[in-house]
Amino acid sequence: MSIEHLEDIAQAMVAPGKGIIAIDESTTTIKKRFDSVGIECTEDNRRAYREMLLTTPNLGQYISGAILYDETLRQSTKAGVPFTKVMADAGILPGIKVDKGPVPLAGFPGDSVTEGLDGLRPRLQEYAKLGAKFAKWRAVIAISDDNPSGTCIEANSHALARYAALCQESGIVPMVEPEVLMDGEHDIEVCYEVTEAALRSLFSALYEHNVLIEGTILKPSMVISGKDCDEQAGIEEVASETLRCLKATVPALLPGIVFLSGGQSDELATAHLNAMNTLAGRPWPLSFSYGRAMQQAALKLWAKDMGGNLAKAQETVFARARDNGLAALGKWK
Ligand code: 13P
């Protein structure tokens, strides 16, 4: 697989003013989201919901790629058009979640490690044939008085690096996602330390596994106060601490960084991204790969009348894409 091919995809993912929509919830996770709005989690409802998102008019203006779940990559619109064709027509790159989720790390209560490496090579080869241009693997790092252990960080970095090398072998750009969870009472400094350790370990593992940095995209969490911390850091502090942490750990060769929203409100996720993009000295494009912060308002509207509110739900998706696209340029107000 040519290096240029990977670089071109990675660059397209972080084209100026564009970002990623994450709609790769596993069946278990989308069931939780559907339960919260009273929708039954059937295959056809999942298909209809994802069709609403992917057929949003003009979505490609602000969205460069969408991360799908295995089932979604194989689905079509009600009229029978494969989702991958809908995306190609809209100029949106198909991505695929390939990890099999976090499991408790034996011997380290409270820590987890993400599984999914067994059989990954043939799965990636099949995904490439189905049209996937990039993939995602999420490692989960929880913070508590006793977590994370160094072993948790190393085990997850090792898995991320093996996954990334396998992706590149199949001509797929790996999105590497070490998510430091917002849950907990910790302050922003603790989040900084854990994020710094996770990113240092990740880039060292990528280097050891001969992963081409120019063909890789980082999807990190922001450096932010724990959800239950009494003192919540403000927007400017989150922006400057996140950028400082990234500059200390991420090679300038990386084509781009796209953040997850991680449970932030829609508006805060946009405001933090915008604030970062007004700071000087950014070596990479900083954009978004939001799941909840792109979808939660639209899901509520769509669920009210399953399709009756289609146009309104799509307007909301488009508005979220536009706001985050502007924030990726530091132009959101
Ligand atoms: P959130 O933006 O909801 O955190 O989801 C992004 C994602 O893809 C997590 O893996």
Side-chain angles (χ1 to χ4, degrees):
M1 185 47 60
S2 80
I3 289 172
E4 290 78 18
H5 167 84
L6 293 169
E7 287 183 8
D8 289 349
I9 296 169
Q11 298 284 353
M13 289 166 70
V14 290
K18 291 192 184 189
I20 311 277
I21 180 169
I23 57 170
D24 60 328
E25 299 85 0
S26 65
T27 306
T28 321
T29 303
I30 197 73
K31 181 174 184 318
K32 283 187 213 150
R33 307 266 190 270
F34 278 9
D35 283 350
S36 74
V37 291
I39 295 282
E40 202 189 338
C41 190
T42 62
E43 184 182 346
D44 198 52
N45 283 346
R46 294 193 294 271
R47 193 204 55 70
Y49 174 63
R50 267 80 182 241
E51 174 173 348
M52 180 277 288
L53 295 170
L54 291 171
T55 57
T56 293
N58 303 314
L59 192 62
Q61 214 177 315
Y62 299 106
I63 295 292
S64 58
I67 319 173
L68 310 178
Y69 186 58
D70 180 277
E71 173 185 270
T72 319
L73 184 68
R74 302 168 195 278
Q75 282 174 327
S76 301
T77 63
K78 195 161 191 204
V81 185
F83 283 162
T84 47
K85 165 96 171 60
V86 171
M87 294 169 76
D89 291 348
I92 297 173
L93 296 167
I96 179 77
K97 168 199 177 78
V98 302
D99 68 71
K100 298 239 164 162
V103 297
L105 180 64
F108 295 88
D111 281 340
S112 68
V113 64
T114 298
E115 293 191 333
L117 289 170
D118 287 357
L120 183 57
R121 177 177 277 131
R123 285 169 60 218
L124 285 166
Q125 288 164 348
E126 192 204 0
Y127 288 141
K129 280 198 197 119
L130 288 169
K133 302 292 181 213
F134 69 98
K136 177 189 110 170
W137 181 288
R138 170 175 175 257
V140 179
I141 298 160
I143 298 182
S144 76
D145 288 348
D146 302 320
N147 304 98
S149 63
T151 307
C152 162
I153 287 177
E154 269 175 42
N156 278 297
S157 295
H158 178 258
L160 278 161
R162 283 195 57 203
Y163 140 83
L166 282 164
C167 284
Q168 292 187 339
E169 182 190 84
S170 284
I172 289 178
V173 167
M175 180 185 263
V176 288
E177 178 179 358
E179 175 172 6
V180 177
L181 296 180
M182 282 168 62
D183 303 319
E185 294 176 359
H186 56 274
D187 59 21
I188 188 168
E189 277 110 61
V190 171
C191 181
Y192 184 103
E193 279 165 30
V194 172
T195 307
E196 183 183 39
L199 291 174
R200 260 192 217 298
S201 162
L202 171 60
F203 282 95
S204 155
L206 294 176
Y207 174 76
E208 280 159 22
H209 285 254
N210 281 342
V211 173
L212 182 80
I213 293 300
E214 297 93 319
T216 302
I217 294 289
L218 174 66
K219 174 163 174 167
S221 38
M222 296 180 192
V223 174
I224 201 167
S225 316
K227 245 191 263 170
D228 301 321
C229 179
D230 291 336
E231 227 172 280
Q232 291 290 314
I235 291 167
E236 302 309 322
E237 192 182 359
V238 169
S240 62
E241 287 304 276
T242 302
L243 185 59
R244 188 163 75 91
C245 187
L246 292 167
K247 280 165 85 171
T249 52
V250 179
L253 262 186
L254 190 88
I257 297 177
V258 292
F259 293 96
L260 58 94
S261 59
Q264 299 179 47
S265 70
D266 291 2
E267 183 150 334
L268 262 186
T270 305
H272 286 146
L273 179 62
N274 189 69
M276 272 182 245
N277 279 306
T278 59
L279 297 173
R282 288 165 279 119
W284 341 257
L286 299 176
S287 190
F288 62 95
S289 175
Y290 295 159
R292 283 161 285 179
M294 275 295 303
Q295 295 182 50
Q296 53 207 359
L299 174 61
K300 276 189 200 137
L301 277 172
W302 182 80
K304 263 193 208 157
D305 184 15
M306 285 267 297
N309 270 324
L310 185 84
K312 269 197 201 148
Q314 290 186 326
E315 276 165 28
T316 309
V317 177
F318 182 78
R320 292 300 301 138
R322 185 198 52 219
D323 284 358
N324 290 317
L326 289 171
L329 300 170
K331 290 185 174 163
W332 176 74
K333 298 234 170 4

